[in-house]
């Protein structure tokens, strides 16, 4: 199982989570970050780093955000790896 970035990250895009990922599973989209499920090792390191509580283990994603599981997989295949902290969109 992988972790999933959900709706609270949309137009927020904090990147505190990306710097603690030991396997570079995060991908940077225009409006949020995504987790590549083929790379994520389910270590939980990113979860406490997210200030908006947007990251869930796949099996714990709330029902209203279940579509983010597929969205993360699709977008991770298209977006570049991100490993460095950047200024969040919500603070721009």
């Amino acid at each position: 199982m992988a972790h999933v970035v959900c709706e609270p990250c949309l137009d927020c895009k904090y990147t505190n989570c990306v710097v603690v990922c030991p396997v570079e599973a995060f991908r940077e989209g225009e409006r949020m970050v995504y987790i590549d499920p083929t790379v994520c090792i389910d270590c939980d390191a990113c979860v406490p780093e997210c200030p908006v509580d947007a990251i869930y283990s796949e099996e714990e994603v709330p029902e209203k955000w279940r579509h983010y599981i597929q969205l993360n997989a699709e977008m991770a295949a298209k977006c570049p790896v991100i490993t460095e902290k950047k200024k969040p969109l919500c603070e721009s």
Side-chain angles (χ1 to χ4, degrees), residues 9-85:
C9 186
L10 187 62
D11 291 328
C12 195
K13 202 163 105 174
Y14 280 98
T15 52
N16 306 36
C17 52
V18 305
V19 297
V20 298
C21 182
V23 293
E24 299 181 357
F26 282 88
R27 305 295 182 259
E28 183 178 17
E30 192 174 308
R31 297 176 62 199
M32 64 183 283
V33 295
Y34 304 95
I35 295 174
D36 186 335
T38 66
V39 177
C40 179
I41 58 171
D42 202 27
C43 70
D44 283 337
C46 58
V47 176
E49 297 302 317
C50 181
V52 294
D53 297 322
I55 303 172
Y56 295 85
S57 179
E58 188 175 325
E59 61 272 1
E60 295 177 359
V61 172
E63 187 62 38
K64 64 184 175 183
W65 294 330
R66 299 288 296 166
H67 64 283
Y68 278 90
I69 296 170
Q70 183 64 31
L71 181 64
N72 272 248
E74 290 173 4
M75 294 304 294
K78 301 175 185 177
C79 297
V81 172
I82 179 171
T83 59
E84 295 181 7
K85 189 172 179 176

